[in-house]
Amino acid sequence: MASAFSHAFVALAIGRAAHHPVMTWQVLFLGMACSIIPDLDVIGFSFGIRYGDLWGHRGLTHSLFFAGLLSTVLVGLCYRRHSSPAKAWLAVYFFLCTASHGVLDAMTDGGLGVAFFSPFNTSRYFFAVRPVAVSPIGIGEFFTADAFRVLASEVTWIWLPTLGVWIFICSLQRIWPR
């Protein structure tokens, strides 16, 4: 998996690039949480759920179905009073934040792949190019001598490209304002 730092950074960049009044800091923080929530599936290890199971790591919670479900529930519970266009922006943002988690994990060099289409198809997938060093599971495991290699990989393959895309989008918005 990519680290929680990288997942949150990508969600923040997506939200800031949206450049819409509904994108408050509260919404951005919730989007950052959405980008990290899929990794709550690691709790399953404590209950005997195996990595490759439906509820295992990178299983259902990393799927596009879960991203859609989470975004729909969040908008329905937290943003009922917003206008329909605002709800649509929020739903798309929360979906992209949650779905980005699986996308980043599919770029890593470890694990069993991501069940993008779960629960309908539990096959696991990686991208053809997997340049991101896999982050260890668990906070204690992350702060080791290997952490610098993982973070350097994430800065190179996630942070810098994300920042580049964000700058490009912001530049286009200045050229062609709404």
Side-chain angles (χ1 to χ4, degrees):
M1 72 178 131
S3 71
F5 305 113
S6 292
H7 289 301
F9 180 74
V10 169
L12 178 62
I14 293 168
R16 295 299 294 161
H19 198 62
H20 189 276
V22 76
M23 304 305 284
T24 65
W25 279 106
Q26 177 188 13
V27 169
L28 294 174
F29 284 127
L30 189 52
M32 292 164 67
C34 286
S35 73
I36 297 168
I37 285 173
D39 273 342
L40 290 179
D41 61 11
V42 298
I43 294 170
F45 291 137
S46 300
F47 297 103
I49 297 172
R50 293 173 303 178
Y51 197 119
D53 291 345
L54 174 70
W55 291 102
H57 186 52
R58 292 185 177 176
L60 182 63
T61 62
H62 286 59
S63 71
L64 298 173
F65 174 80
F66 179 80
L69 182 64
L70 180 61
S71 64
T72 301
V73 168
L74 282 175
V75 171
L77 291 176
C78 302
Y79 299 97
R80 288 188 305 262
R81 299 177 196 264
H82 283 66
S83 68
S84 292
K87 287 179 187 177
W89 271 95
L90 292 165
V92 168
Y93 173 61
F94 295 141
F95 174 82
L96 290 174
C97 291
T98 309
S100 73
H101 189 108
V103 170
L104 294 181
D105 281 4
M107 294 171 48
T108 64
D109 63 2
L112 298 179
V114 178
F116 284 114
F117 307 109
S118 184
F120 311 107
N121 177 346
T122 57
S123 299
R124 306 275 182 128
Y125 300 91
F126 279 114
F127 292 132
V129 177
R130 299 168 44 194
V132 180
V134 70
S135 178
I137 296 174
I139 295 171
E141 297 295 322
F142 186 77
F143 294 101
T144 63
D146 199 37
F148 180 75
R149 180 184 67 79
V150 170
L151 287 175
S153 171
E154 290 184 5
V155 165
T156 302
W157 297 106
I158 298 172
W159 289 63
L160 291 176
T162 299
L163 191 59
V165 170
W166 180 77
I167 290 169
F168 177 73
I169 290 171
C170 290
S171 298
L172 289 178
Q173 289 171 343
R174 286 195 175 112
I175 295 170
W176 292 294
R178 288 190 258 175

